[in-house]
Amino acid sequence: MAFWLRDARVFAEALFADAGGPPPSNRIDWLMRELEDFVEQAGPRVRAILVGGLLVASWAAPPLAGRAPPLSRLSLADRVRALDALEHTPAGLPLLAVKAILSILYYEHPEALRDAGVIGPSDEGLSCLS
Amino acid sequence: MPIVSTPVREGRRHAGDLDIDADAVVIGSGASGAVVAAILAEAGERVVILEEGPHVPVAEIQKMRPSQHLRRAWRDGGMTVAVGVGGSPTINVTMGRAVGGSSIVTGGVCFRTPEHVLHEWSHRLELADYTSERLAPYFDEVERAISVEEVPESMRSLSTRRFAEGAQKIGLTIEPLRRNTRGCNGCGRCNFGCPHGAKLSVDMTYLPRAVAAGATIFSDCLVDQIVVESGRAVGVKGRILERDGGFLSRQGQISVRARRVVVAAGAYHTPLLLERSGVGRRSGQVGRNMTLHPAFRMFARFEERIDGWKGALQSAYTRTLEAEGITMMGLFVPPGVLAATMPGFGEEHSRGAKLIPHLAVFGGLIHDEGGGTVRRGPGREPIVTYRMAAADKAKIPRIIRTMAEAFFAAGAREVFPPILGQKGVTADELSAMDLEGVPAMRLECSSQHPLGSARMGVDPKSSVVDPDGKAWDVGGLYVVDGSVVPTSLGVNPQLTIMTIATRMARRMVS
């Protein structure tokens, strides 16, 4: 697996975690497949933006939570704290790009849309959303 | 209404090289290229249209999720930026990269060029033919061709209705937008390709007309250079791309010989192509003077469900602050984009995502003075920087406060200003915020309207093309897209771009 996909997984688990922990692993697996396809089709600049953002997250975030990098070595709680701290610094801009790509993909998963309350439990999905 | 599907020859399915003779080659199949191609073809010219992006027909769009359209038909998957310099925000600039160009990723909003803008063009810039009277027949022609109609109030989303209620309470006048639609049912996903063929983007209108008149469209063809011989453009050379995104991009070569070369590659790529081809260097204006209409969104949380995706994506606007250089407009974005801009990670982000059904959205754009520069980058894509004028920077807090005020007047509980990591704030909390002191790096800013990077004018020393789009220094070469627009407009430019292209094409064939 490409290093950036491993970093993206670590990032996504922290971004989409709730009180119960990270999202189900099959949903994250789906997200990573979507991400790989997105980057493949959207082109080399997107890959550069994504990889750059993930590198910043991986190495610049942990010290802000008093931990040594990389991000992947941190517990889920520490990852969340570190990324949250980084978002409030000027280096937060590259994070936005990563958050944007992952969120656009993640919230097309019907279960994610249901968790967010966008569609009801019995909705098949709205044509404008998924 | 039957959906028209434009026949396109897909470069990716073509083995080997392509050598073509034509009367005119048009580079780019977007709002301007399609118009010029149709008019030239209908006048009897043998026209070839070369489009860098893929062909994404409506039948495919109907099966796509928004992100699938984003990765397939948007440049850089929607992640293109103009890098902010000199204390300016970095701006996410979105563009189409497919047959139909950016016309397939717009909300379809159509404005005639504002009178005060045309006054500036015809007086200060001495573009004598660019008055509302002289352009009126061309506006009429385009509006008929793409079916420009007013969005009825019944199609407004609750998101827009809530903003309109608040706006009226604080003295802003809300007016209906006009869009190029026919049979729209308000499914709210116009900018991810209309799945019903109701948005009459140029792949539904001008391109079928061009093909019917004998033009040929090639997708997946990237033009590298305009061929100039003895001071005259005689054709173009380029590459056939193998697949989306341009990885493994060299499959075959394409060469078109033509007595007329029309550049319509958009404000990011037209200057790059001119620069690479040695055109317009003497003016020193290629790639300069770019305006962007920097735009800022505001989310507002209401107690009730808003479900802002139900209704027309864009249906109403206010020009009450036009004199200040600000236009505000309704819009909506997919849940994932809303979620992305919610602050925080983990539980905080998760709580933010659960607010999505309760969020209303409005946007405000700046009628900017410019400050964008397009330069050649290390690959085939440009590096674009943007230095926002001080007067424009001063408008940002005004936009944020006004949109928030309108939403609070409509009963919003909190708003989410366009600041990275910013939590929702109440009206009192917003009043206490130092918006003027927010660092530019923390502002979320976007643009859908890059213009002016190869501007037209009456003086070869300060413009790249003349008022008819003819390059000053190379015969047979025309630039017809948004890059010729000499100032920003303060409103969506689609109709202006198509009207200018119509005028230029009519002049070519006369």
Side-chain angles (χ1 to χ4, degrees):
Chain A
M1 183 193 287
F3 78 93
W4 64 268
L5 269 175
R6 280 198 299 271
D7 286 351
R9 187 179 190 97
V10 164
F11 189 105
E13 284 171 352
L15 177 59
F16 302 119
D18 61 16
S25 61
N26 60 351
R27 204 185 299 175
I28 296 286
D29 291 342
W30 173 87
L31 176 62
M32 292 301 114
R33 285 195 298 275
E34 284 289 310
L35 180 64
E36 208 171 359
D37 182 68
F38 187 94
V39 170
E40 175 83 6
Q41 290 202 48
R45 295 235 288 199
V46 174
R47 184 194 292 259
I49 289 168
L50 186 70
V51 171
L54 288 168
L55 277 174
V56 171
S58 190
W59 296 93
L64 297 174
R67 296 283 184 269
L71 192 70
S72 56
R73 288 197 190 149
L74 273 56
S75 68
L76 186 68
D78 281 345
R79 265 186 263 164
V80 169
R81 212 154 48 87
L83 290 168
D84 195 47
L86 186 63
E87 189 174 46
H88 289 86
T89 72
L93 198 60
L95 285 197
L96 178 63
V98 181
K99 266 179 98 166
I101 297 171
L102 288 173
S103 296
I104 289 165
L105 299 172
Y106 184 77
Y107 288 102
E108 284 183 344
H109 192 290
E111 292 302 321
L113 283 171
R114 285 193 183 98
D115 286 354
V118 175
I119 56 177
S122 59
D123 287 335
E124 288 298 314
L126 301 169
S127 66
C128 54
L129 301 175
S130 59
Chain B
M1 187 187 71
I3 294 174
V4 181
S5 188
T6 313
V8 174
R9 292 180 65 176
E10 293 186 271
R12 69 185 60 199
R13 299 189 197 285
H14 181 87
D17 297 341
L18 278 167
D19 267 303
I20 303 164
D21 274 312
D23 295 319
V25 57
V26 179
I27 305 158
S29 66
S32 59
V35 165
V36 173
I39 292 171
L40 295 184
E42 285 168 354
E45 295 197 16
R46 292 173 302 141
V47 177
V48 169
I49 306 162
L50 301 179
E51 166 57 50
E52 176 195 347
H55 178 40
V56 188
V58 175
E60 273 186 48
I61 289 171
Q62 286 170 337
K63 297 175 201 153
M64 286 179 168
R65 287 177 273 124
S67 86
Q68 289 172 317
H69 193 261
L70 194 64
R71 65 189 94 168
R72 187 88 201 279
W74 293 50
R75 188 167 292 282
D76 299 328
M79 296 287 152
T80 311
V81 294
V83 179
V85 294
S88 308
T90 286
I91 303 174
N92 174 215
V93 185
T94 52
M95 289 168 275
R97 182 185 165 276
V99 172
S102 292
S103 80
I104 66 168
V105 303
T106 70
V109 174
C110 290
F111 282 97
R112 288 198 176 195
T113 319
E115 185 58 47
H116 62 97
V117 173
L118 289 175
H119 186 269
E120 185 188 4
W121 291 6
S122 55
H123 286 74
R124 186 175 70 79
L125 303 180
E126 300 176 39
L127 294 163
D129 282 341
Y130 286 85
T131 64
S132 49
E133 294 76 24
R134 291 191 179 179
L135 288 178
Y138 303 114
F139 276 121
D140 291 343
E141 180 182 338
V142 177
E143 288 177 356
R144 272 195 307 274
I146 61 174
S147 177
V148 176
E149 59 182 8
E150 197 172 284
V151 187
E153 270 198 55
S154 58
M155 208 181 277
R156 283 186 192 171
S157 65
L158 187 53
S159 169
T160 298
R161 294 209 308 268
R162 286 288 170 267
F163 183 89
E165 287 161 16
Q168 275 154 358
K169 286 181 187 165
I170 66 167
L172 303 176
T173 304
I174 294 291
E175 298 175 62
L177 284 168
R178 296 192 310 150
R179 300 180 308 164
N180 51 321
T181 54
R182 189 181 294 144
C184 171
N185 69 357
C187 79
R189 57 164 290 179
C190 324
N191 53 349
F192 293 103
C194 177
H196 307 108
K199 183 177 71 175
L200 297 189
S201 42
V202 295
D203 57 320
M204 307 289 293
T205 52
Y206 280 94
L207 290 177
R209 259 175 62 182
V211 171
T216 310
I217 306 168
F218 290 93
S219 64
D220 317 299
C221 288
L222 175 67
V223 173
D224 289 317
Q225 195 166 17
I226 299 159
V227 181
V228 178
E229 290 174 4
S230 308
R232 192 171 174 82
V234 294
V236 300
K237 285 188 171 165
R239 285 171 281 167
I240 302 168
L241 302 178
E242 199 166 8
R243 54 183 164 137
D244 297 337
F247 289 120
L248 307 172
S249 62
R250 189 178 291 272
Q251 178 174 314
Q253 306 289 316
I254 183 159
S255 172
V256 181
R257 289 191 70 81
R259 62 182 172 81
R260 202 196 295 279
V261 175
V262 180
V263 184
Y268 259 54
H269 292 80
T270 285
L272 210 60
L273 180 60
L274 297 178
E275 172 76 22
R276 271 202 305 265
S277 308
V279 177
R281 283 190 184 149
R282 262 180 290 165
S283 71
Q285 301 301 319
V286 176
R288 301 180 59 143
N289 315 304
M290 181 188 265
T291 62
L292 285 174
H293 288 162
F296 299 87
R297 56 80 189 160
M298 177 65 77
F299 300 158
R301 179 178 69 80
F302 287 81
E303 276 302 315
E304 64 187 319
R305 275 187 78 101
I306 297 292
D307 291 348
W309 50 86
K310 294 178 182 169
L313 184 85
Q314 298 194 271
S315 58
Y317 80 111
T318 174
R319 56 179 165 170
T320 307
L321 303 183
E322 189 179 58
E324 295 179 45
I326 294 169
T327 307
M328 293 178 182
M329 208 168 288
L331 75 159
F332 208 78
V333 292
V337 179
L338 284 171
T341 52
M342 285 285 130
F345 286 76
E347 282 187 70
E348 188 185 358
H349 176 82
S350 187
R351 278 195 300 276
K354 288 186 169 63
L355 301 179
I356 289 170
H358 298 267
L359 293 179
V361 186
F362 222 72
L365 65 81
I366 295 173
H367 181 172
D368 61 327
E369 292 179 14
T373 304
V374 183
R375 296 183 181 86
R376 289 172 76 172
R380 67 171 202 233
E381 292 293 330
I383 292 174
V384 178
T385 56
Y386 186 77
R387 185 181 296 273
M388 189 182 275
D392 291 336
K393 282 181 195 165
K395 293 168 190 167
I396 300 171
R398 170 75 162 138
I399 290 176
I400 294 174
R401 286 198 183 98
T402 306
M403 290 195 293
E405 215 180 309
F407 274 131
F408 285 128
R413 295 306 167 100
E414 60 181 352
V415 297
F416 293 82
I419 300 168
L420 285 177
Q422 178 61 54
K423 295 177 169 57
V425 291
T426 62
D428 288 343
E429 287 165 339
L430 185 80
S431 302
M433 281 178 76
D434 175 20
L435 292 175
E436 283 76 7
V438 176
M441 284 284 284
R442 294 199 55 216
L443 287 168
E444 287 170 22
C445 184
S446 65
S447 163
Q448 290 75 39
H449 309 152
L451 301 169
S453 52
R455 68 185 179 190
M456 64 177 164
V458 294
D459 182 354
K461 291 189 188 119
S462 59
S463 57
V464 179
V465 296
D466 75 6
D468 292 337
K470 278 192 262 184
W472 286 113
D473 54 352
V474 174
L477 177 63
Y478 297 79
V479 180
V480 299
D481 59 22
S483 53
V484 304
V485 176
T487 68
S488 79
L489 307 172
V491 294
N492 305 45
Q494 175 175 237
L495 189 57
T496 296
I497 290 169
M498 296 178 81
T499 298
I500 291 174
T502 301
R503 181 187 170 280
M504 289 175 169
R506 294 278 173 224
R507 304 275 289 187
M508 285 179 214
V509 296
S510 64

